[in-house]
């Protein structure tokens, strides 16, 4: 029988790569539900192509366009946050959580509640509300498999090993578009320059986060949450070639790492197929042809946001939410030309010093409410 699949964030970079992987396995998987933010044209096209049963759009004003476009098909159309949660609640063999940012939180938690396996690419949810995702998946028995390349690497290196004997882990960073820029040069960086990632082809938010190394900071926090590690057990190594994605240092001196050409379809297929490996059309890693693989310690002076994120790993949840969401506000403003590149870190730092710990962050509503106050505070810092 075919396994049913829900794709949250289907029109984004990870979502489209997921479709690409599943296209090669149409006898084994049925894309049963897809969700997107506001891109109703692509959503309708994918829904028709794959005869999808449930289609959700978060932007309610696009509902009528989507509904018209899908009239005459068997698709059931949903809109808004409630509609998307209703889709998640229908239950799936596999859910792919690939909405970028805090906006993906509620649906990621719902997917953990109602799916057998959650392939998670929405790192911001893990950073802001791992407590809720973990609770939901434990209660439902949902298996969580990371899709982010570094975390997939760690997962693959830890799987089948005794994880009590881990000394530490390391995730690698390409260094982003500005890896050789001085602070003075960074001050004049435009969105166009920062959006040119050297190795990976990704969405705008994560590409800007790669340029500030905020992305690597979020990923270090993500690794600590996923694998239950403290700040002293998570390292970041700058590795320009993006071939080695993660390393696990075991207590006996062995280091196990995972390598591969940068291609998100590899980690997506790993997560979807787990525990079996799928076959995808990929370019083979040819090590002798590579002139070198380089490794450096990160430069915290040029990239202070990475240092800040690493220092927050063991800190309180409200600070993690603040770091994440102040960055979302700042990156948005930078992309719109409202602030300069270095203002991103100023907004994050100022917002962090202005936020206080709320009484409780034990429920989704409390986390959403706190997040709203971070957005308001960060907007004042623009
Ligand atoms: Mg990554």
């Amino acid at each position: 029988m075919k396994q049913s699949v829900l794709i949250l964030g289907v029109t984004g970079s990870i979502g489209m790569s997921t479709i690409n992987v599943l296209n090669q396995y149409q006898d084994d998987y049925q894309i049963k539900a897809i969700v997107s933010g506001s891109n109703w044209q692509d959503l309708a096209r994918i829904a028709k192509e794959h005869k999808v049963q449930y289609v959700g759009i978060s932007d309610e004003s696009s509902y009528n366009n989507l509904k018209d476009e899908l009239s005459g098909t068997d698709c059931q159309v949903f809109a808004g946050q409630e509609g998307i949660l209703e889709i998640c609640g229908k239950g799936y063999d596999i859910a792919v959580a690939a909405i970028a940012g805090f906006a993906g939180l509620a649906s990621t938690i719902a997917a953990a509640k109602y799916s057998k396996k959650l392939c998670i690419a929405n790192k911001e949810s893990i950073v802001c509300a791992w407590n809720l995702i973990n609770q939901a998946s434990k209660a439902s028995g949902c298996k969580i498999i990371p899709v982010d390349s570094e975390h997939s690497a760690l997962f693959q290196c830890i799987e089948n090993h005794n994880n009590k004997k881990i000394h530490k882990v390391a995730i690698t960073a390409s260094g982003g578009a500005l890896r050789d820029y001085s602070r003075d040069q960074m001050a004049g960086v435009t969105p166009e320059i920062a959006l040119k990632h050297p190795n990976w082809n990704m969405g705008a938010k994560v590409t800007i986060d790669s340029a500030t190394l905020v992305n690597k900071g979020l990923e270090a926090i993500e690794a600590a949450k996923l694998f239950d590690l403290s700040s002293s057990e998570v390292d970041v190594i700058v590795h320009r070639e993006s071939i080695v994605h993660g390393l696990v240092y075991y207590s006996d001196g062995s280091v196990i790492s995972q390598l591969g050409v940068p291609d998100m379809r590899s980690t997506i297929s790993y997560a979807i197929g787990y525990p079996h490996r799928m076959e995808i059309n990929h370019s083979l890693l040819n090590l002798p042809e590579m002139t070198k693989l380089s490794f450096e310690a990160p430069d915290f002076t040029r990239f202070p946001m990475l240092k800040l994120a690493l220092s927050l790993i063991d800190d309180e949840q409200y600070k993690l939410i603040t770091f994440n969401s102040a960055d979302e506000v700042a990156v948005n403003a930078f992309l719109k030309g409202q602030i300069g590149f270095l203002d991103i870190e100023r907004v994050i730092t100022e917002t962090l010093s202005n936020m206080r710990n709320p009484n409780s962050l034990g429920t989704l509503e409390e986390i959403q409410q706190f997040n709203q106050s971070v957005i308001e505070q960060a907007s004042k810092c623009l």
Side-chain angles (χ1 to χ4, degrees):
M1 212 170 87
K2 289 186 187 184
Q3 295 196 59
S4 59
V5 182
L6 159 69
I7 308 174
L8 298 163
V10 71
T11 54
S13 165
I14 300 277
M16 295 309 288
S17 297
T18 303
I19 298 271
N20 184 301
V21 167
L22 293 176
N23 275 342
Q24 299 170 52
Y25 280 86
Q26 296 193 11
D27 293 340
D28 301 307
Y29 300 95
Q30 169 67 44
I31 302 172
K32 195 172 168 190
I34 54 176
V35 166
S36 168
S38 58
N39 183 349
W40 60 270
Q41 294 95 334
D42 281 354
L43 196 56
R45 181 181 50 74
I46 298 165
K48 284 184 203 163
E49 257 171 45
H50 292 271
K51 298 193 170 52
V52 171
Q53 202 173 344
Y54 308 118
V55 184
I57 189 140
S58 111
D59 172 28
E60 297 187 41
S61 68
S62 301
Y63 174 79
N64 286 336
N65 286 332
L66 181 63
K67 183 108 178 126
D68 289 349
E69 192 67 24
L70 290 173
S71 64
T73 70
D74 293 332
C75 297
Q76 288 180 46
V77 181
F78 299 78
Q81 188 66 33
E82 287 309 309
I84 289 168
L85 295 182
E86 200 178 332
I87 290 183
C88 294
K90 306 233 177 245
Y92 305 89
D93 293 311
I94 298 167
V96 179
I99 294 174
F102 188 91
L105 177 58
S107 57
T108 298
I109 295 170
K113 224 181 242 178
Y114 298 108
S115 312
K116 290 183 188 156
K117 178 159 74 180
L118 175 62
C119 308
I120 188 163
N122 178 217
K123 70 188 74 170
E124 295 88 348
S125 286
I126 298 175
V127 169
C128 294
W130 175 243
N131 54 334
L132 300 185
I133 299 170
N134 200 24
Q135 264 169 28
S137 69
K138 282 200 167 124
S140 66
C142 171
K143 176 85 178 160
I144 293 184
I145 319 277
V147 168
D148 213 349
S149 60
E150 300 77 5
H151 307 82
S152 174
L154 297 180
F155 186 91
Q156 294 182 50
C157 295
I158 292 171
E159 190 63 359
N160 301 324
H161 291 82
N162 180 351
N163 67 4
K164 298 274 186 295
K165 300 291 184 200
I166 290 175
H167 176 61
K168 66 172 181 177
V169 305
I171 56 173
T172 59
S174 69
L178 311 181
R179 58 193 180 190
D180 296 317
Y181 277 53
S182 68
R183 293 283 292 176
D184 282 349
Q185 286 173 310
M186 284 182 201
V189 159
T190 60
E192 201 188 7
I193 297 170
L195 282 171
K196 282 193 186 123
H197 194 282
N199 302 347
W200 296 95
N201 194 356
M202 307 177 290
K205 198 257 175 185
V206 62
T207 307
I208 300 299
D209 281 348
S210 297
T212 55
L213 290 197
V214 163
N215 181 54
K216 209 47 60 177
L218 292 172
E219 289 184 354
I221 299 167
E222 181 186 4
K225 298 293 173 199
L226 282 171
F227 302 106
D228 197 17
L229 303 165
S230 65
S231 61
S232 62
E233 295 167 321
V234 182
D235 271 0
V236 173
I237 299 172
V238 176
H239 166 52
R240 292 170 174 252
E241 298 80 12
S242 297
I243 296 297
V244 176
H245 303 300
L247 308 98
V248 179
Y249 297 69
Y250 284 92
S251 52
D252 59 1
S254 269
V255 181
I256 301 191
S257 73
Q258 185 262 354
L259 290 74
V261 288
D263 182 343
M264 285 312 290
R265 293 175 312 143
S266 172
T267 66
I268 291 166
S269 70
Y270 180 83
I272 288 175
Y274 179 84
H276 308 291
R277 283 188 187 269
M278 298 166 80
E279 257 182 70
I280 58 164
N281 299 322
H282 64 285
S283 40
L284 203 60
L285 175 62
N286 188 333
L287 283 175
E289 252 185 23
M290 305 202 67
T291 47
K292 70 169 184 178
L293 294 180
S294 63
F295 301 94
E296 312 153 53
D299 181 344
F300 291 133
T301 314
R302 284 188 303 128
F303 298 100
M305 289 304 96
L306 176 59
K307 188 177 184 189
L308 175 62
L310 292 172
S311 78
L312 295 178
I313 285 180
D314 301 328
D315 219 320
E316 289 158 293
Q317 189 181 359
Y318 88 95
K319 290 192 186 171
L320 302 183
I321 301 171
T322 304
F323 179 80
N324 174 77
S325 301
D327 173 64
E328 288 192 22
V329 170
V331 168
N332 227 335
F334 171 68
L335 286 170
K336 288 182 185 154
Q338 293 167 349
I339 59 170
F341 182 76
L342 289 180
D343 289 321
I344 297 173
E345 59 189 55
R346 179 186 55 77
V347 171
I348 296 173
T349 315
E350 281 180 22
T351 311
L352 258 174
S353 64
N354 281 320
M355 295 308 295
R356 296 289 167 265
N357 203 356
N359 289 333
S360 163
L361 291 168
T363 67
L364 176 61
E365 292 68 32
E366 287 167 346
I367 289 176
Q368 284 172 329
Q369 215 168 54
F370 179 74
N371 183 63
Q372 200 47 46
S373 62
V374 175
I375 292 172
E376 283 159 24
Q377 182 60 51
S379 305
K380 283 186 206 158
C381 298
L382 290 177

